[in-house]
Short mmCIF file of all heavy atoms in Angstrom, two decimals:
data_model
loop_
_atom_site.label_atom_id
_atom_site.label_comp_id
_atom_site.label_asym_id
_atom_site.label_seq_id
_atom_site.Cartn_x
_atom_site.Cartn_y
_atom_site.Cartn_z
N TYR R 240 -3.58 -17.89 16.00
CA TYR R 240 -4.29 -16.69 16.20
C TYR R 240 -5.72 -16.69 16.17
O TYR R 240 -6.31 -15.76 15.81
CB TYR R 240 -3.48 -15.53 15.46
CG TYR R 240 -2.20 -15.08 15.98
CD1 TYR R 240 -1.10 -15.91 15.87
CD2 TYR R 240 -2.07 -14.11 17.03
CE1 TYR R 240 0.13 -15.68 16.43
CE2 TYR R 240 -0.85 -13.85 17.67
CZ TYR R 240 0.23 -14.63 17.35
OH TYR R 240 1.39 -14.34 18.06
N GLY R 241 -6.21 -17.90 16.39
CA GLY R 241 -7.79 -17.86 16.40
C GLY R 241 -8.34 -17.94 15.11
O GLY R 241 -7.68 -18.10 13.99
N HIS R 242 -9.66 -17.80 15.07
CA HIS R 242 -10.47 -17.97 13.84
C HIS R 242 -10.04 -16.71 12.93
O HIS R 242 -10.19 -15.66 13.27
CB HIS R 242 -11.91 -18.04 14.03
CG HIS R 242 -12.71 -17.95 12.85
ND1 HIS R 242 -12.87 -19.09 12.09
CD2 HIS R 242 -13.43 -17.04 12.20
CE1 HIS R 242 -13.62 -18.79 10.93
NE2 HIS R 242 -13.99 -17.51 11.15
N LEU R 243 -9.69 -17.06 11.62
CA LEU R 243 -9.54 -15.89 10.63
C LEU R 243 -10.61 -16.19 9.52
O LEU R 243 -10.61 -17.31 9.01
CB LEU R 243 -8.07 -16.06 10.16
CG LEU R 243 -6.91 -15.85 10.96
CD1 LEU R 243 -5.65 -15.84 10.21
CD2 LEU R 243 -7.03 -14.46 11.63
N ASP R 244 -11.27 -15.09 9.17
CA ASP R 244 -12.11 -15.09 8.11
C ASP R 244 -11.37 -15.12 6.80
O ASP R 244 -12.00 -15.57 5.62
CB ASP R 244 -13.15 -13.94 8.24
CG ASP R 244 -13.94 -14.18 9.46
OD1 ASP R 244 -14.79 -15.12 9.47
OD2 ASP R 244 -13.82 -13.40 10.31
N GLY R 245 -10.18 -14.53 6.77
CA GLY R 245 -9.48 -14.47 5.45
C GLY R 245 -7.90 -14.01 5.70
O GLY R 245 -7.71 -13.58 6.82
N MET R 246 -7.19 -14.22 4.70
CA MET R 246 -5.89 -13.75 4.62
C MET R 246 -5.64 -12.91 3.41
O MET R 246 -6.13 -13.40 2.29
CB MET R 246 -4.82 -14.86 4.80
CG MET R 246 -4.75 -15.36 6.12
SD MET R 246 -3.42 -16.45 6.42
CE MET R 246 -2.03 -15.29 6.82
N TRP R 247 -5.15 -11.82 3.42
CA TRP R 247 -5.09 -10.85 2.31
C TRP R 247 -3.65 -10.54 2.11
O TRP R 247 -2.83 -9.98 2.93
CB TRP R 247 -5.80 -9.52 2.91
CG TRP R 247 -6.25 -8.53 1.89
CD1 TRP R 247 -7.53 -8.27 1.39
CD2 TRP R 247 -5.51 -7.31 1.47
NE1 TRP R 247 -7.51 -7.09 0.69
CE2 TRP R 247 -6.39 -6.54 0.75
CE3 TRP R 247 -4.14 -6.92 1.65
CZ2 TRP R 247 -5.87 -5.34 0.08
CZ3 TRP R 247 -3.74 -5.69 0.97
CH2 TRP R 247 -4.62 -4.98 0.29
N PHE R 248 -3.17 -10.95 0.89
CA PHE R 248 -1.66 -11.08 0.60
C PHE R 248 -1.33 -9.76 -0.31
O PHE R 248 -1.78 -9.66 -1.44
CB PHE R 248 -1.37 -12.31 -0.05
CG PHE R 248 -1.39 -13.46 0.96
CD1 PHE R 248 -2.59 -14.15 0.98
CD2 PHE R 248 -0.46 -13.63 1.84
CE1 PHE R 248 -2.65 -15.25 1.93
CE2 PHE R 248 -0.55 -14.70 2.78
CZ PHE R 248 -1.63 -15.45 2.75
N ASP R 249 -0.38 -8.88 0.09
CA ASP R 249 0.11 -7.84 -0.61
C ASP R 249 1.36 -8.24 -1.26
O ASP R 249 1.83 -9.25 -1.02
CB ASP R 249 0.22 -6.60 0.39
CG ASP R 249 0.06 -5.32 -0.34
OD1 ASP R 249 -0.03 -5.38 -1.57
OD2 ASP R 249 0.14 -4.19 0.33
N ALA R 250 1.92 -7.26 -1.95
CA ALA R 250 3.22 -7.58 -2.78
C ALA R 250 3.01 -8.53 -3.93
O ALA R 250 3.43 -9.60 -4.02
CB ALA R 250 4.33 -7.97 -1.88
N GLY R 251 2.02 -7.97 -4.90
CA GLY R 251 1.71 -8.80 -5.91
C GLY R 251 2.70 -9.33 -6.87
O GLY R 251 2.55 -10.13 -7.64
N TRP R 252 3.91 -8.60 -6.84
CA TRP R 252 5.09 -9.01 -7.64
C TRP R 252 5.61 -10.42 -7.18
O TRP R 252 6.30 -10.97 -8.02
CB TRP R 252 6.11 -8.03 -7.65
CG TRP R 252 6.77 -7.61 -6.28
CD1 TRP R 252 7.91 -8.34 -5.79
CD2 TRP R 252 6.33 -6.74 -5.32
NE1 TRP R 252 8.12 -7.70 -4.52
CE2 TRP R 252 7.14 -6.86 -4.17
CE3 TRP R 252 5.30 -5.72 -5.42
CZ2 TRP R 252 7.01 -6.02 -3.22
CZ3 TRP R 252 5.08 -4.88 -4.26
CH2 TRP R 252 6.01 -4.92 -3.25
N VAL R 253 5.41 -10.75 -5.98
CA VAL R 253 5.83 -12.12 -5.51
C VAL R 253 4.79 -13.17 -5.94
O VAL R 253 3.78 -13.43 -5.19
CB VAL R 253 5.91 -12.05 -3.93
CG1 VAL R 253 6.45 -13.42 -3.41
CG2 VAL R 253 6.85 -10.97 -3.50
N CYS R 254 5.02 -13.79 -7.04
CA CYS R 254 4.20 -14.79 -7.67
C CYS R 254 4.83 -15.63 -8.63
O CYS R 254 5.98 -15.26 -9.08
CB CYS R 254 3.02 -14.00 -8.39
SG CYS R 254 3.46 -12.92 -9.74
N ALA R 255 4.33 -16.72 -9.02
CA ALA R 255 4.96 -17.55 -9.94
C ALA R 255 5.19 -16.99 -11.30
O ALA R 255 6.24 -17.17 -11.88
CB ALA R 255 4.20 -18.82 -10.05
N GLN R 256 4.25 -16.18 -11.76
CA GLN R 256 4.37 -15.46 -13.11
C GLN R 256 5.58 -14.57 -13.07
O GLN R 256 6.23 -14.27 -14.17
CB GLN R 256 3.17 -14.69 -13.42
CG GLN R 256 1.84 -15.42 -13.36
CD GLN R 256 1.15 -15.31 -12.06
OE1 GLN R 256 1.66 -15.80 -11.08
NE2 GLN R 256 -0.10 -14.73 -12.05
N ASN R 257 6.11 -14.09 -11.95
CA ASN R 257 7.26 -13.24 -11.88
C ASN R 257 8.47 -13.94 -11.44
O ASN R 257 9.47 -13.31 -11.02
CB ASN R 257 6.86 -12.07 -11.04
CG ASN R 257 7.59 -10.83 -11.24
OD1 ASN R 257 7.96 -10.57 -12.45
ND2 ASN R 257 7.84 -10.12 -10.38
N GLY R 258 8.45 -15.32 -11.50
CA GLY R 258 9.66 -15.99 -10.90
C GLY R 258 9.84 -16.01 -9.58
O GLY R 258 10.90 -16.31 -8.99
N GLN R 259 8.80 -15.74 -8.80
CA GLN R 259 8.95 -15.58 -7.31
C GLN R 259 7.77 -16.52 -6.67
O GLN R 259 6.86 -15.88 -6.01
CB GLN R 259 8.83 -14.21 -6.62
CG GLN R 259 9.94 -13.28 -7.25
CD GLN R 259 9.92 -11.82 -6.70
OE1 GLN R 259 9.70 -11.70 -5.55
NE2 GLN R 259 9.98 -10.94 -7.58
N ASP R 260 7.84 -17.74 -6.85
CA ASP R 260 6.77 -18.61 -6.57
C ASP R 260 6.97 -19.12 -5.02
O ASP R 260 7.91 -19.78 -4.72
CB ASP R 260 6.65 -19.92 -7.40
CG ASP R 260 5.55 -20.83 -7.14
OD1 ASP R 260 4.66 -20.34 -6.27
OD2 ASP R 260 5.44 -21.84 -7.83
N ILE R 261 6.19 -18.53 -4.21
CA ILE R 261 6.14 -19.02 -2.73
C ILE R 261 5.24 -20.21 -2.46
O ILE R 261 5.10 -20.65 -1.35
CB ILE R 261 5.83 -17.91 -1.80
CG1 ILE R 261 4.33 -17.38 -1.87
CG2 ILE R 261 6.92 -16.76 -1.88
CD1 ILE R 261 4.07 -16.38 -0.80
N ARG R 262 4.71 -20.66 -3.54
CA ARG R 262 3.64 -21.85 -3.43
C ARG R 262 2.56 -21.55 -2.31
O ARG R 262 2.43 -22.27 -1.44
CB ARG R 262 4.45 -23.15 -3.13
CG ARG R 262 5.55 -23.47 -4.18
CD ARG R 262 5.99 -24.86 -4.01
NE ARG R 262 6.57 -25.24 -2.84
CZ ARG R 262 7.82 -24.92 -2.33
NH1 ARG R 262 8.69 -24.33 -3.16
NH2 ARG R 262 8.28 -25.36 -1.16
N LEU R 263 1.88 -20.43 -2.62
CA LEU R 263 0.93 -19.89 -1.58
C LEU R 263 -0.22 -20.85 -1.37
O LEU R 263 -0.57 -21.17 -0.34
CB LEU R 263 0.47 -18.53 -2.17
CG LEU R 263 -0.57 -17.93 -1.18
CD1 LEU R 263 0.01 -17.66 0.23
CD2 LEU R 263 -1.17 -16.69 -1.79
N GLY R 264 -0.69 -21.53 -2.54
CA GLY R 264 -1.75 -22.45 -2.40
C GLY R 264 -1.48 -23.68 -1.55
O GLY R 264 -2.32 -24.16 -0.81
N GLU R 265 -0.26 -24.04 -1.51
CA GLU R 265 0.21 -25.11 -0.79
C GLU R 265 0.00 -24.94 0.76
O GLU R 265 -0.62 -25.82 1.37
CB GLU R 265 1.72 -25.41 -1.01
CG GLU R 265 2.34 -26.53 -0.32
CD GLU R 265 3.85 -26.58 -0.77
OE1 GLU R 265 4.23 -26.92 -1.95
OE2 GLU R 265 4.64 -26.27 0.10
N VAL R 266 0.32 -23.70 1.20
CA VAL R 266 0.20 -23.41 2.69
C VAL R 266 -1.30 -23.03 2.96
O VAL R 266 -1.68 -23.28 4.11
CB VAL R 266 1.27 -22.26 3.17
CG1 VAL R 266 0.87 -21.03 2.51
CG2 VAL R 266 1.17 -22.21 4.61
N ILE R 267 -1.86 -22.39 2.05
CA ILE R 267 -3.33 -22.03 2.40
C ILE R 267 -4.22 -23.34 2.47
O ILE R 267 -5.08 -23.44 3.49
CB ILE R 267 -3.90 -21.26 1.22
CG1 ILE R 267 -3.23 -19.76 1.12
CG2 ILE R 267 -5.46 -20.95 1.32
CD1 ILE R 267 -3.44 -19.00 2.45
N GLU R 268 -3.90 -24.30 1.70
CA GLU R 268 -4.73 -25.51 1.91
C GLU R 268 -4.39 -26.31 3.12
O GLU R 268 -5.25 -26.87 3.82
CB GLU R 268 -4.34 -26.45 0.64
CG GLU R 268 -4.90 -26.00 -0.66
CD GLU R 268 -6.42 -25.77 -0.53
OE1 GLU R 268 -7.22 -26.37 0.22
OE2 GLU R 268 -6.91 -24.68 -1.19
N LYS R 269 -3.12 -26.07 3.72
CA LYS R 269 -2.86 -26.60 4.96
C LYS R 269 -3.64 -25.90 6.07
O LYS R 269 -4.12 -26.44 6.94
CB LYS R 269 -1.31 -26.33 5.31
CG LYS R 269 -0.41 -27.39 4.44
CD LYS R 269 1.04 -27.22 4.95
CE LYS R 269 1.95 -27.97 4.08
NZ LYS R 269 3.35 -27.73 4.38
N VAL R 270 -3.71 -24.54 6.01
CA VAL R 270 -4.58 -23.79 6.87
C VAL R 270 -5.87 -24.19 6.83
O VAL R 270 -6.61 -24.22 7.83
CB VAL R 270 -4.24 -22.17 6.75
CG1 VAL R 270 -5.18 -21.41 7.60
CG2 VAL R 270 -2.84 -21.79 6.91
N ARG R 271 -6.49 -24.24 5.68
CA ARG R 271 -7.94 -24.59 5.48
C ARG R 271 -8.22 -25.97 6.21
O ARG R 271 -9.44 -26.17 6.22
CB ARG R 271 -8.37 -24.49 4.09
CG ARG R 271 -8.43 -23.03 3.48
CD ARG R 271 -8.75 -22.97 2.09
NE ARG R 271 -9.07 -21.63 1.54
CZ ARG R 271 -9.14 -21.30 0.41
NH1 ARG R 271 -8.91 -22.18 -0.65
NH2 ARG R 271 -9.30 -20.05 0.05
N LYS R 272 -7.33 -26.76 6.41
CA LYS R 272 -7.72 -27.98 7.03
C LYS R 272 -8.33 -27.75 8.46
O LYS R 272 -9.09 -28.54 8.90
CB LYS R 272 -6.51 -28.99 7.08
CG LYS R 272 -6.03 -29.58 5.80
CD LYS R 272 -4.90 -30.53 5.86
CE LYS R 272 -4.49 -31.02 4.56
NZ LYS R 272 -3.23 -31.94 4.61
N PHE R 273 -7.82 -26.77 9.04
CA PHE R 273 -8.44 -26.42 10.40
C PHE R 273 -9.14 -25.08 10.41
O PHE R 273 -9.72 -24.72 11.41
CB PHE R 273 -7.20 -26.56 11.53
CG PHE R 273 -5.98 -25.89 11.08
CD1 PHE R 273 -5.83 -24.58 11.33
CD2 PHE R 273 -5.04 -26.55 10.60
CE1 PHE R 273 -4.57 -23.85 10.94
CE2 PHE R 273 -3.79 -26.00 10.28
CZ PHE R 273 -3.64 -24.68 10.61
N GLN R 274 -9.08 -24.29 9.30
CA GLN R 274 -9.78 -23.09 9.17
C GLN R 274 -10.70 -23.26 7.88
O GLN R 274 -10.36 -22.60 6.86
CB GLN R 274 -8.85 -21.78 8.96
CG GLN R 274 -8.00 -21.54 10.22
CD GLN R 274 -8.49 -20.45 11.05
OE1 GLN R 274 -9.65 -20.03 11.05
NE2 GLN R 274 -7.56 -19.82 11.78
N PRO R 275 -11.62 -24.16 7.82
CA PRO R 275 -12.32 -24.44 6.60
C PRO R 275 -12.99 -23.21 6.10
O PRO R 275 -13.63 -22.43 6.69
CB PRO R 275 -13.41 -25.54 6.95
CG PRO R 275 -13.40 -25.32 8.52
CD PRO R 275 -12.10 -24.99 8.89
N GLY R 276 -12.94 -22.97 4.75
CA GLY R 276 -13.55 -21.94 4.01
C GLY R 276 -12.65 -20.55 4.25
O GLY R 276 -13.20 -19.60 3.63
N MET R 277 -11.55 -20.60 4.89
CA MET R 277 -10.82 -19.27 4.97
C MET R 277 -10.57 -18.69 3.76
O MET R 277 -10.10 -19.28 2.69
CB MET R 277 -9.53 -19.46 5.78
CG MET R 277 -8.81 -18.03 6.10
SD MET R 277 -7.13 -18.31 6.64
CE MET R 277 -6.27 -18.62 5.12
N LEU R 278 -10.95 -17.35 3.44
CA LEU R 278 -10.70 -16.66 2.18
C LEU R 278 -9.18 -16.43 2.06
O LEU R 278 -8.51 -16.17 3.03
CB LEU R 278 -11.59 -15.35 2.17
CG LEU R 278 -13.07 -15.65 2.19
CD1 LEU R 278 -13.69 -14.23 2.12
CD2 LEU R 278 -13.55 -16.45 1.07
N CYS R 279 -8.96 -16.31 0.74
CA CYS R 279 -7.47 -15.97 0.49
C CYS R 279 -7.62 -14.82 -0.72
O CYS R 279 -8.23 -15.08 -1.72
CB CYS R 279 -6.65 -17.14 -0.17
SG CYS R 279 -5.02 -16.78 -0.62
N ALA R 280 -6.99 -13.80 -0.53
CA ALA R 280 -6.97 -12.55 -1.56
C ALA R 280 -5.52 -12.48 -1.90
O ALA R 280 -4.79 -11.51 -1.35
CB ALA R 280 -7.68 -11.39 -0.88
N ASP R 281 -5.04 -13.26 -2.90
CA ASP R 281 -3.69 -13.01 -3.44
C ASP R 281 -3.76 -12.02 -4.50
O ASP R 281 -3.86 -12.27 -5.59
CB ASP R 281 -3.20 -14.42 -4.05
CG ASP R 281 -1.78 -14.36 -4.37
OD1 ASP R 281 -1.08 -13.45 -3.80
OD2 ASP R 281 -1.25 -15.23 -4.95
N ARG R 282 -3.85 -10.91 -4.09
CA ARG R 282 -4.14 -9.72 -4.97
C ARG R 282 -3.33 -9.43 -6.27
O ARG R 282 -2.10 -9.57 -6.15
CB ARG R 282 -4.27 -8.46 -4.11
CG ARG R 282 -3.09 -7.99 -3.42
CD ARG R 282 -3.33 -6.91 -2.33
NE ARG R 282 -4.18 -5.87 -2.86
CZ ARG R 282 -3.75 -4.59 -2.94
NH1 ARG R 282 -2.58 -4.19 -2.55
NH2 ARG R 282 -4.71 -3.67 -3.38
N THR R 283 -3.94 -9.34 -7.24
CA THR R 283 -3.38 -8.93 -8.62
C THR R 283 -2.84 -10.26 -9.32
O THR R 283 -2.41 -10.10 -10.46
CB THR R 283 -2.31 -7.89 -8.61
OG1 THR R 283 -0.98 -8.41 -8.05
CG2 THR R 283 -2.74 -6.66 -7.90
N VAL R 284 -2.79 -11.35 -8.54
CA VAL R 284 -2.23 -12.56 -9.21
C VAL R 284 -3.20 -13.34 -10.01
O VAL R 284 -2.82 -14.03 -10.99
CB VAL R 284 -1.65 -13.48 -7.94
CG1 VAL R 284 -0.99 -14.71 -8.58
CG2 VAL R 284 -0.44 -12.65 -7.34
N GLY R 285 -4.45 -13.28 -9.66
CA GLY R 285 -5.53 -14.01 -10.36
C GLY R 285 -5.48 -15.51 -9.96
O GLY R 285 -4.63 -15.89 -9.01
N GLY R 286 -6.22 -16.31 -10.51
CA GLY R 286 -6.22 -17.75 -10.25
C GLY R 286 -7.02 -18.16 -9.06
O GLY R 286 -7.81 -17.42 -8.39
#
Side-chain angles (χ1 to χ4, degrees):
Y240 284 82
H242 175 74
L243 296 179
D244 295 290
M246 295 192 75
W247 196 97
F248 294 96
D249 208 357
W252 60 89
V253 182
C254 62
Q256 302 95 299
N257 208 29
Q259 299 181 48
D260 187 5
I261 61 168
R262 304 195 300 279
L263 182 63
E265 183 179 290
V266 68
I267 291 300
E268 290 308 322
K269 288 180 182 177
V270 174
R271 282 177 174 167
K272 287 180 180 178
F273 45 84
Q274 298 252 25
M277 186 190 78
L278 298 177
C279 178
D281 192 14
R282 59 193 313 241
T283 77
V284 174

